[in-house]
């Protein structure tokens, strides 16, 4: 179902997922005079604290989903692992953005890579793996080192393992749970970058500047904006994101992760994966832009004009994981810095507790 | 009661008042991982939509106030007309910021002017008026034109009337409701400016740049930042606000309204009034500064380090009154602009429905 008209102030945005992304979406919607209704199964969801209404129920609770759909004007989500059946129920009752195609594409690494290659974008070499014999065939084709990943439900390095020369294939296959998988060839990249883009119901596109992303233990540590890459390469990255969004008839904010490599002196971009939602590598927009990725997503799904993605400052976003956030008093003291804490009651090692955006004057 | 220690994330800020100021305070608190509990008598209070908890009860409901105090870690407010008894009940149970002295001083125009004059600041000539005979004596001293204002509960031009040469004093006295009043001499000012300052429990001070404020029908229309006044005058205005905050042992954000006049070529500042709360003329900080006045107030009352009040852009804030907000689609389309709508269900003529901050690169 498509949105019939732009949603006026006081309309209700339904959001599946109650974590920090849902919370920041709700805060951004409130700025525009829109109300949020959060749907999440966890009783202590941080987004519940800032929403006009919430439903605490399982994603397969059909009655709760129908009542939720009746209470909202549009449905969106903060995570890509929304069950297909949930999306299907809601999408029949209310406009759902991003749509079912974007969700299905990004939920399965093999479907995703096939889609990307199909629209002419460079990806790592890849092959589907359905069983141990299939893994042997894939290794014969892709070689080693390579990475074996489950097709579904992986994030932050979970559900994947590296195949080195000495790795026993049976052990690797067991390690990822003997589930449908994809084998990806190694890309000798120099750095990782990403693009945060937004697309409206009307096809309008807005694309933010490109950050360089640094990871630690498979979790994003920092996004540095702008990335130190040639302006033409940055423009190409933005163009790739716009092309992906258009091909999916996408509505909302999309995150596109890319590898940046250099071959024979030329800069090269290889698409790694897409996230059909606001993205951790876009958190810098909250302090360096007038319209953040969260407001941009709300604008897109609500049928509002997209905001200018222009950046007034250079910025380094640093995630605060686990006990990093216990340093809040010193972080709050830093000048030219936007501090964001997520209202999570429990602090666990590696858990995303907040982030800080450190601004410097724009260099160009 | 003073705050014993800085309030860690997930602490609860109690806010009296559920209008747009309470709402923007709650949104700012959420950014820092603090929870808000709003207390307001109106069932459709916009701040309820974004708060972790709310109490809908009258300000003289002692049971509700005591339950509210038990549920929060500090109490603040969005409006200066908090009943003294309400403040007294809460202040005995939990830290209250700004404190009772600031509240008492700003609630009564005569007490306020006496305080300002007492710390050596220039104000308009003024005299207390308790009855019609007193009004005659005051006019004999202050002259005409002058302005008769109720001592208490005036805002946005309400509860005041101008005495011109032909005005009958009895009629003027009746018009303001024959209530305890103050007569203020006219100030021949060139423009109105204001200062938004914050002071912490530890006495730390942070002061934002000075806006020029333009009014229409006694309601703020625009704040233009920076005001076109000499740098030394701007510095003096900031110094005046800091002096007022220190003299009141103030905790939180304070708004100080001043008249800017020119006499024999020299620039002069006359203090008009103080508001013991975040202030409409500080809304520009939401888009032109990394730490807005709302976050600054939350930091101050929660015992956090104050943020840098530095401004990265020049800005004009324009209030959206009544049907101005119906133009939201065009306003949302403007580049370099932060649009804020307050989630008010009913649009009435002259009602503050939102504001827009139009940014331009900082000129110096």
């Amino acid at each position: 179902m498509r949105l019939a008209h732009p949603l006026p102030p006081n309309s209700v945005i339904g959001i599946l997922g109650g974590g920090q992304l849902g919370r920041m979406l709700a805060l951004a919607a409130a700025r525009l005079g829109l109300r949020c209704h959060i749907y999440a199964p966890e009783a202590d969801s941080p987004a519940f604290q800032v929403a006009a209404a919430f439903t605490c129920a399982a994603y397969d609770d059909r009655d709760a989903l129908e009542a939720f759909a009746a209470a909202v004007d549009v449905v969106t989500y903060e995570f890509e692992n929304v069950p297909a059946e949930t999306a299907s129920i809601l999408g029949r009752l209310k406009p759902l953005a991003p749509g079912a195609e974007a969700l299905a594409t990004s939920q399965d690494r093999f479907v995703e890579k096939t889609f990307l290659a199909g629209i002419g974008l460079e990806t790592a070499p890849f092959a589907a793996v359905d069983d141990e014999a299939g893994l042997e065939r894939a290794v014969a084709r892709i070689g080693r080192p390579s990475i074996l990943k489950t097709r579904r439900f992986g994030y932050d390095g979970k559900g994947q393992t590296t195949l080195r020369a000495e790795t026993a294939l049976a052990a690797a296959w067991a390690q990822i749970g003997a589930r449908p998988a994809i084998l990806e060839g190694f890309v000798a990249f120099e750095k990782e970058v990403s693009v945060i883009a937004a697309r409206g119901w009307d096809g309008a596109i807005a694309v933010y500047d490109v950050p360089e992303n640094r990871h630690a233990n498979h979790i994003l540590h920092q996004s540095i904006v702008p990335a130190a890459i040639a302006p033409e390469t940055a423009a190409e990255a933005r163009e790739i994101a716009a092309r992906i969004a258009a091909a999916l008839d996408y509505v909302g904010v999309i995150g596109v992760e890319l590898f940046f490599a250099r071959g024979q002196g030329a800069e090269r971009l290889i698409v790694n994966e897409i996230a059909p939602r606001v993205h951790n590598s876009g958190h810098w927009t909250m302090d360096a832009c007038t319209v953040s990725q969260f407001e941009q997503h709300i604008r897109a799904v609500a049928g509002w004009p997209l905001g200018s993605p222009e950046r007034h400052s250079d910025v380094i976003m640093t995630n605060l994981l686990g006990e990093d956030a216990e340093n809040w008093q010193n972080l709050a003291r830093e000048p030219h810095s936007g501090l964001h804490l997520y209202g999570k009651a429990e602090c666990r090692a590696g858990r995303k507790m907040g982030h800080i955006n450190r601004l410097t004057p724009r260099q160009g």
Side-chain angles (χ1 to χ4, degrees), chain A:
Chain A
M1 191 183 294
R2 291 185 71 83
L3 196 72
H5 55 76
L7 297 177
N10 296 313
S11 300
V12 182
I13 313 287
I15 300 175
L16 297 173
Q20 68 267 16
L21 301 180
R23 177 181 170 102
M24 291 186 276
L25 285 169
L27 293 173
R31 180 174 150 119
L32 298 176
L34 293 160
R35 297 169 196 229
C36 284
H37 187 135
I38 307 287
Y39 189 112
E42 301 83 10
D44 62 349
S45 293
F48 290 170
Q49 300 164 22
V50 298
F54 66 85
T55 299
C56 187
Y59 290 120
D60 62 358
D61 181 336
R62 182 177 286 265
D63 291 345
L65 289 170
E66 286 176 358
F68 171 70
V72 306
D73 296 300
V74 68
V75 176
T76 187
Y77 42 88
E78 62 148 17
F79 67 118
E80 58 270 46
N81 290 325
V82 175
E85 180 63 12
T86 307
S88 160
I89 293 169
L90 294 172
R92 277 196 299 271
L93 297 167
K94 283 291 156 70
L96 174 74
E101 189 187 347
L103 207 45
T105 304
S106 62
Q107 282 182 350
D108 183 311
R109 293 183 192 279
F110 180 71
V111 174
E112 180 182 58
K113 285 258 180 340
T114 305
F115 159 75
L116 293 168
I119 62 170
L121 298 174
E122 184 176 352
T123 68
F126 66 96
V129 174
D130 292 322
D131 49 30
E132 225 183 293
L135 178 55
E136 275 178 40
R137 286 192 301 276
V139 170
R141 224 179 87 203
I142 308 280
R144 311 186 185 209
S146 50
I147 311 174
L148 182 63
K149 300 178 177 177
T150 56
R151 282 172 66 152
R152 303 174 69 89
F153 303 118
Y155 68 96
D156 288 349
K158 292 183 174 64
Q160 58 179 264
T161 187
T162 301
L163 306 189
R164 305 191 184 279
E166 70 281 7
T167 309
L169 296 188
W173 179 243
Q175 195 189 322
I176 64 153
R179 284 179 295 164
I182 180 174
L183 186 69
E184 296 180 8
F186 243 50
V187 175
F189 62 86
E190 185 178 307
K191 50 186 135 196
E192 295 178 73
V193 301
S194 63
V195 182
I196 308 301
R199 188 167 177 275
W201 290 96
D202 60 356
I205 293 254
V207 189
Y208 291 96
D209 279 346
V210 178
E212 172 181 341
N213 302 315
R214 301 204 177 148
H215 294 76
N217 302 319
H218 294 285
I219 298 176
L220 183 66
H221 169 51
Q222 287 191 319
S223 292
I224 299 156
V225 189
I229 59 178
E232 307 74 43
T233 310
E236 189 195 333
R238 293 153 50 106
E239 175 53 37
I240 287 171
R243 206 196 313 175
I244 292 170
L248 291 170
D249 194 16
Y250 193 91
V251 175
V253 161
I254 188 170
V256 179
E257 299 178 22
L258 305 113
F259 299 122
F260 171 91
R262 234 181 269 271
Q264 285 96 41
E267 297 187 353
R268 221 172 100 228
L269 293 167
I270 301 105
V271 183
N272 179 23
E273 63 178 45
I274 60 182
R277 52 168 170 81
V278 287
H279 196 259
N280 196 164
S281 74
H283 289 3
W284 59 271
T285 59
M286 297 177 86
D287 293 292
C289 302
T290 303
V291 174
S292 73
Q293 69 163 343
F294 300 99
E295 179 174 336
Q296 196 74 291
H297 184 76
I298 295 294
R299 284 172 173 247
V301 303
W304 287 43
L306 299 182
S308 163
E310 207 186 44
R311 176 171 58 80
H312 56 66
S313 298
D314 290 350
V315 52
I316 297 177
M317 188 286 304
T318 303
N319 270 336
L320 304 174
L321 302 180
E323 61 188 18
D324 292 350
E326 287 169 16
N327 191 31
W328 57 273
Q329 288 195 70
N330 288 320
L331 295 167
R333 207 166 272 126
E334 290 189 29
H336 323 304
S337 296
L339 176 62
H340 303 265
L341 298 172
Y342 302 151
K344 295 185 181 177
E346 196 192 344
C347 175
R348 291 194 299 268
R351 192 178 197 198
K352 290 176 179 171
M353 301 300 292
H355 68 273
I356 186 166
N357 289 325
R358 297 184 171 103
L359 303 180
T360 48
R362 190 174 165 145
Q363 292 304 310

